[in-house]
Amino acid sequence: MTPAELSSTVLHAVRRAVDAGELDVTVPARAVVAPPGPGGCGDYATNIALQLARPAGQPPYRVAEVLRPYLVGVDGVADVVLTGPGFLNISLGGAAPAALVEEILSAGTRYGHADAPDAPDAPDAPDNSVVRLHCPHDLRAVVVADAVARVLRCQGALVRVTAEGFDREWTAALGVRVDGVGPAPVSPPVTVRPVPAPADPLPLGRDAARWALLHPAAHDRPRIGDEHLAQREGNPLFRVRYAHARSRALTRNAADLGFTAEPGPVPDAPQELLAALGDHPRVLAAAAAHRAPDRIARHLVAVADAALPFLPTVLPRGGEKPSAAHRARLALAEAAGTVLAGGLTLLGIDAPDHL
């Protein structure tokens, strides 16, 4: 069961409880599922009981008790444990990792994207349907606005970016664009005003400069230095791109050995990696909602750090023959690389196959 399917399953459980007269609430449009927090357990957790407690007129823990039986009997759900004030911690069956990997590989770098309009910048779109981003004449502000626009569009929003000033060299050097230059539009825009960079990032080049400006939260001052160019583990950007390149190299090496990826059970799969991959759609949605592309950058570091120790275990060793286990591990490695490539693309950063 994929995270999206699990979210639908949770909503279906709420609907069944309402139909049975055990809850008197309006079924929400969305249920958030995410890796369990401190004190949690299982594969995923949801706070749906806390969300419904007030409209239901019951304590959150009681709402969770009502919902638990409607989840436990569902195919793909192995167990549901209640923790804290009413969190539902859900353990999935053994096929869950394979389903997740299959979903990622099927969607490609669009994994986690919502349905987007055909023309995201359509000039004739209704005025109230367009998210308007406006930023000062500041390079970091323009880069952050550009990344926010990319993330919003991947979630199906129509976006228009304006700036009080814009230097043409920024497009050539960093790939940013704006839809208009001048004062803020009449309709109230979302102002993008991060802490400015302390130095000119252009000498770093497009990828390192964008990472230096986007990885820190908007309220943090970015560091502009050669550390972003270093080809070593201490550089988060290098780890992310290296993990992606290694996943692509594994695919090439596997082809030389005569086998390809096939999603399946991976008994020794790192749970941290599976949780990070499954959390990717939620991270994209949160980054869009909070106008915070730094959330994606930090998430990519978490995916890379979980993937790197796993990647050396993918290919057969010595005289081993390629097996179903190797094909499943390769599929998981490819899924990790796909998530890293998709996230880097949203940040406007290249994901090279060779590094």
Side-chain angles (χ1 to χ4, degrees):
M1 185 180 298
T2 67
E5 292 170 339
L6 181 56
S7 177
S8 298
T9 298
V10 171
L11 291 179
H12 184 61
V14 175
R15 189 172 294 108
R16 290 172 63 196
V18 170
D19 292 343
E22 295 189 68
L23 288 178
D24 184 13
V25 297
T26 299
V27 180
R30 182 168 176 260
V32 175
V33 296
C41 59
D43 298 300
Y44 294 98
T46 178
N47 66 347
I48 191 71
L50 283 73
Q51 179 183 342
L52 298 177
R54 177 169 293 185
Q58 300 186 45
Y61 200 88
R62 174 55 188 155
V63 175
E65 288 178 324
V66 169
L67 294 177
R68 183 180 182 277
Y70 293 103
L71 289 167
V72 170
V74 175
D75 289 342
V77 175
D79 193 16
V80 180
V81 176
L82 276 57
T83 59
F87 291 102
L88 290 154
N89 296 261
I90 304 170
S91 296
L92 302 178
L100 172 63
V101 169
E102 188 172 3
E103 180 187 13
I104 294 171
L105 296 182
S106 176
T109 55
R110 291 184 57 82
Y111 168 62
H113 290 212
D115 290 334
D118 292 334
D121 298 306
D124 56 348
D127 206 49
N128 60 2
S129 70
V130 178
V131 179
R132 300 186 180 278
L133 306 175
H134 186 73
C135 49
H137 183 202
D138 171 70
L139 177 55
R140 189 187 185 199
V142 172
V143 170
V144 171
D146 178 78
V148 170
R150 292 167 184 256
V151 178
L152 284 168
R153 289 178 182 126
C154 93
Q155 295 299 299
L158 303 172
V159 188
R160 181 173 174 81
V161 181
T162 57
E164 294 175 10
F166 186 79
D167 294 347
R168 289 185 178 180
E169 68 171 336
W170 295 351
T171 296
L174 299 184
V176 294
R177 60 172 246 194
V178 297
D179 302 301
V181 179
V186 176
S187 57
V190 175
T191 301
V192 179
R193 196 182 296 273
V195 174
D200 182 7
L202 294 183
L204 295 176
R206 172 173 173 160
D207 293 332
R210 288 187 70 106
W211 181 268
L213 298 174
L214 294 172
H215 181 255
H219 58 266
D220 291 331
R221 185 175 297 277
R223 292 182 301 172
I224 306 299
D226 291 344
E227 66 269 21
H228 299 294
L229 300 173
Q231 303 289 296
R232 57 172 180 262
E233 290 184 1
N235 177 5
L237 174 59
F238 171 74
R239 296 203 304 276
V240 170
R241 299 175 88 192
Y242 179 69
H244 169 263
R246 286 290 300 132
S247 73
R248 296 297 184 248
L250 289 172
T251 299
R252 296 191 298 270
N253 294 339
D256 292 340
L257 295 174
F259 75 99
T260 58
E262 183 177 330
V266 183
D268 56 348
Q271 292 303 308
E272 297 84 356
L273 177 57
L274 293 173
L277 296 179
D279 201 31
H280 187 64
R282 183 196 64 81
V283 171
L284 296 189
H290 296 278
R291 319 293 193 248
D294 56 284
R295 295 188 180 208
I296 298 176
R298 291 194 297 273
H299 175 64
L300 295 181
V301 175
V303 172
D305 288 346
L308 283 169
F310 169 73
L311 297 180
T313 72
V314 170
L315 297 180
R317 297 183 179 182
E320 278 187 300
K321 298 293 185 181
S323 66
H326 293 113
R327 291 192 290 273
R329 285 200 290 267
L330 178 61
L332 177 55
E334 289 185 356
T338 298
V339 167
L340 293 172
L344 286 170
T345 299
L346 287 175
L347 297 179
I349 297 173
D350 185 36
D353 288 350
H354 301 270
L355 195 63

